[in-house]
């Protein structure tokens, strides 16, 4: 990969023989065992419509039309574009060296038994034998390039009837998972054209293959399945390359949990990195990071539809059910999406279209007399489509058994709108949605809509709070950190960008500090891993973003050293009108708002034994030293005793380091009657 310069990389032809070979040699083809990997790969290549020269390296004669059989690579007489090794692991280095000496263009290695199996020395020998020869694998499931008729894999998925090739390429660190994603995409009506299983990435990386595929004119969406990020700079560059080309990268990454990291390590010898850092990098570079296979399908469908929404989108809801309108408004508002009142001009346009029998605000309630207004819905959608203050439109209708054709026309009308629109067709007649074939626009439920929007606006943030008489005053990190430090909760050293250059070497963390933007990461006000050379430009860019989202006159960019750590906690306290004061402890960082992440509450007053048990739970479940947690909780209790005006306190993340616990963010909210 080229260095990060902000312009798309110029890729060499290293990957061309993998995806468009003019000749293929398969080594390790059994003349007697039909289910050997070499024989399966060869059969699929021939049956898949490949029209280049095919050579089988086998010990016995083969009766396969169009396939030349030889006893060794040397007998071929030239270097094939692509050599496929379906031989035991110990034979691979010598065969790779032989392929290189003959002038082969690339090699695929199916065999396992290398670094992922505790044999890194064999993988080192493979890498040394390859030199500058591009080798895919080892421990991989091969390549599919449907435009070139290439099917070099052993998966039974390739035997199924499939959709026509589509504008999607899949690069995966797990061969089987990559084909699972391909199947799920095809079930959603999206075909794929390219697939590559990188295995252990001994020579060719996910990012190099991804960069090559993004250069292909027939590809719009690159799907990555990552069990570990070895090349963060290359991943950053993929995002920039895709953005420059108007394409999209969607990444499904494992490794958020200890179990996930261990599974990744045992599978492909990958070391799963810090998910918080990965999420930050993807956010910054426009890569859509998802957490499961359903989300990945949603992300690809949104990319194919070309939908992009602003950080705080404004949506209009048009529904036949007041109840459904309320559920939609609650669900959208809860995730930070705004459902604002419609403008007077738009309401006038709706009135001209007619058909609204219940409410014309937002949600717009058509009422239950579907026979009377169904022919007006397309005009109503048109009126909403012309409103410049709306970022999206949701149409919600139910059943439609007697109105299938009108509903189908509405689906097409929604798909054709300038403003992104989704049609929730709840309780549709059986098989209707599949026959309609509009999964990018037509969804079966409110839950499916919310899931789709979470992909489009994963870091959605409520409208920034402006200081006013009714808001609780917020103490930003600059003001909160000294209070916690005085009580014994250490905080990372912090300077403002207005001060002299930071006294520590990079890398740095940059944050926007403002009382009206308490959730800074969601608002794009956090930059992680900034080098000393990048610091001036990054500070300027973050200051500009801070001016966009904050009206706090005391807003400022702060700089901190990047703290090496093992575990992130979220430690806080809240004074609840029902339960009184409680201390809250759980997983921190980007897991703090994950409802499935472990967390506990300690409701005060609590005995020493209860506090000790609380700390032991933190050690057993969260991996934080019990003594350090006990000390931090004691410090938090001192803050509560000394400051009855505090309503909420939070240190998140509170990082576990070799020296104990250190907070790298803090926030305090005071009671409404405690302004100063």
């Amino acid at each position: 990969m080229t260095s990060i310069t902000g312009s798309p990389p110029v890729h060499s032809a290293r990957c061309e023989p993998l995806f468009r070979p003019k000749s293929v040699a398969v080594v390790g083809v059994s003349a007697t065992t039909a289910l050997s990997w070499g024989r399966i790969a060869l059969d699929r290549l021939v049956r898949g419509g490949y029209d280049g020269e095919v050579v089988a390296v086998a010990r016995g004669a083969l009766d396969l039309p169009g396939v030349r059989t030889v006893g060794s690579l040397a007998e071929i007489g030239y270097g094939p574009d692509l050599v496929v090794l379906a031989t035991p692991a110990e034979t691979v280095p010598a065969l790779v060296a032989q392929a290189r000496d003959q002038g082969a263009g690339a090699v695929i290695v199916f065999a396992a038994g290398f670094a992922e199996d505790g044999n890194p020395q064999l993988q080192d020998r493979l890498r040394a034998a390859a030199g500058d020869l591009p080798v895919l694998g080892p421990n991989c499931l091969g390549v599919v390039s449907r435009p070139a008729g290439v099917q070099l894999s052993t998966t039974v998925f390739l035997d199924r009837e499939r959709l026509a090739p589509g504008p999607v390429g899949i690069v995966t660190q797990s061969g089987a998972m990559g084909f699972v994603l391909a199947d799920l995409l095809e079930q959603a009506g999206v075909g794929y054209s390219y697939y590559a299983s990188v295995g252990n990435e001994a020579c060719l990386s996910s990012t190099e293959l991804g960069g090559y595929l993004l250069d292909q004119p027939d590809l719009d969406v690159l799907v990555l399945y990552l069990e570990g990020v070895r090349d963060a700079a290359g991943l950053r560059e993929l995002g920039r390359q895709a953005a420059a080309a108007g394409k999209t990268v969607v990444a499904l990454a494992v490794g958020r949990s200890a179990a996930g990291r261990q599974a990744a390590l045992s599978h492909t010898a990958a070391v799963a990195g810090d998910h918080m850092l990965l999420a930050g990098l993807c956010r910054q570079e426009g890569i859509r990071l998802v957490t499961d296979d359903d989300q990945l399908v949603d992300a690809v469908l949104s990319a194919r539809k070309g939908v992009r929404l602003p950080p705080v989108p404004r949506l209009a809801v048009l529904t036949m059910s007041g109840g459904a309108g309320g559920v939609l408004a609650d669900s959208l508002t809860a995730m930070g999406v705004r459902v604002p009142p419609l403008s007077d001009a738009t309401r006038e346009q709706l009135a001209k279209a007619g058909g609204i029998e219940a409410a014309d605000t937002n949600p717009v309630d058509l009422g239950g007399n579907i026979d009377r207004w169904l022919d007006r819905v397309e005009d109503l959608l048109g009126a909403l489509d012309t409103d410049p203050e709306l970022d999206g439109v949701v149409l919600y209708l139910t059943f439609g058994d007697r109105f299938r054709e009108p509903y189908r026309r509405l689906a097409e009308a929604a798909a054709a709108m300038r403003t992104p629109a989704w049609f929730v067709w709840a309780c549709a007649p059986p098989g209707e949605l599949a026959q309609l074939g509009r999964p990018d626009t037509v969804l079966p439920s409110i839950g499916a809509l919310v899931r789709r929007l979470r992909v489009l606006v994963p870091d959605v943030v409520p409208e920034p709070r402006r200081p006013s008489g009714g808001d609780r005053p917020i103490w930003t990190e600059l003001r909160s950190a000294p209070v916690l430090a005085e009580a014994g909760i250490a905080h990372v050293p912090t300077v403002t960008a207005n001060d002299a250059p930071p006294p520590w070497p990079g890398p740095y963390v940059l944050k926007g500090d403002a009382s009206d933007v308490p959730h800074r990461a969601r608002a794009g006000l956090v930059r992680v891993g900034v080098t000393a050379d990048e610091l001036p430009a990054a500070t300027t860019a973050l200051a500009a973003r801070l001016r966009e989202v904050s009206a706090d006159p005391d807003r400022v960019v702060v700089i901190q050293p990047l703290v090496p750590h093992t575990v992130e906690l979220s430690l806080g306290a809240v004074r609840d009108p029902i339960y009184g004061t409680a201390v809250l402890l759980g997983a921190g960082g980007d897991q703090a708002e994950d409802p499935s992440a472990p967390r506990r509450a300690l409701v005060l007053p609590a005995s020493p034994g209860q506090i000790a048990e609380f700390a032991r739970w933190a050690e057993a479940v969260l991996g934080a030293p019990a003594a350090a947690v006990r000390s931090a909780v004691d410090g938090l209790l001192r803050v509560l005793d000394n400051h009855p005006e505090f309503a909420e306190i939070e240190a998140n993340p509170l990082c576990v380091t070799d020296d104990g616990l250190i907070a790298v963010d803090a926030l305090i909210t005071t009671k409404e009657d405690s302004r100063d």
Side-chain angles (χ1 to χ4, degrees), residues 36-332:
S36 69
W37 277 46
R39 183 62 178 266
I40 293 172
L42 184 65
D43 287 345
R44 289 222 172 91
L45 179 66
V46 173
R47 287 188 285 108
Y50 177 69
D51 60 3
E53 184 172 2
V54 180
V55 181
V57 179
R59 293 180 178 176
L62 295 174
D63 184 18
L64 290 175
V67 177
R68 175 188 171 199
T69 304
V70 298
S72 68
L73 276 174
E75 290 182 36
I76 298 176
Y78 64 91
D81 276 357
L82 180 58
V83 174
V84 181
L85 299 183
T87 62
E90 61 270 14
T91 68
V92 166
L95 288 169
V96 168
Q98 189 175 359
R100 179 188 178 191
D101 291 342
Q102 286 186 225
V107 174
I108 296 174
V109 179
F110 287 144
F114 294 82
E116 87 291 345
D117 197 32
N119 196 354
Q121 297 84 5
L122 185 61
Q123 188 158 306
D124 290 340
R125 287 171 50 202
L126 184 160
R127 190 180 294 112
D132 59 358
L133 175 67
V135 175
L136 186 68
N139 184 31
C140 77
L141 273 184
V143 162
V144 176
S145 177
R146 299 176 72 186
V150 173
Q151 293 190 140
L152 286 166
S153 181
T154 60
T155 179
V156 296
F157 173 70
L158 296 178
D159 294 334
R160 294 182 178 180
E161 183 177 347
R162 286 173 287 159
L163 295 182
V168 175
I170 300 169
V171 177
T172 174
Q173 290 178 344
S174 166
M177 190 64 188
F179 283 118
V180 168
L181 297 177
D183 183 52
L184 290 174
L185 288 171
E186 291 208 339
Q187 290 180 40
V190 180
Y192 75 101
S193 288
Y194 305 98
Y195 164 97
S197 165
V198 298
N200 292 5
E201 296 182 279
C203 301
L204 281 173
S205 68
S206 301
T207 51
E208 184 171 357
L209 288 160
Y212 170 84
L213 291 180
L214 282 174
D215 279 341
Q216 306 311 304
D218 57 348
L219 184 134
D220 293 334
V221 183
L222 173 66
V223 169
L224 301 176
Y225 175 77
L226 303 175
E227 293 183 338
V229 177
R230 298 180 176 90
D231 181 14
L235 184 61
R236 181 191 299 270
E237 201 165 359
L238 279 184
R240 296 183 178 183
Q241 181 185 353
K247 301 183 179 184
T248 303
V249 178
V250 178
L252 170 58
V254 301
R256 299 181 65 179
S257 65
R261 288 191 292 271
Q262 181 59 39
L265 183 63
S266 63
H267 191 190
T268 62
V271 179
D274 190 316
H275 192 83
M276 183 180 70
L277 301 184
L278 173 62
L281 185 150
C282 290
R283 184 184 302 111
Q284 290 168 221
E285 303 303 337
I287 297 171
R288 296 186 180 178
L289 182 64
V290 299
T291 58
D292 59 42
D293 47 6
D294 285 336
Q295 274 198 345
L296 185 137
V297 173
D298 280 325
V300 173
L301 288 171
S302 296
R304 291 288 300 121
K305 187 179 172 68
V307 177
R308 293 192 178 275
L309 295 177
V312 187
R314 302 159 298 180
L315 268 58
V317 176
L318 180 64
T319 175
M320 65 184 297
S321 165
V327 173
L328 277 162
D330 287 348
S331 300
L332 297 175

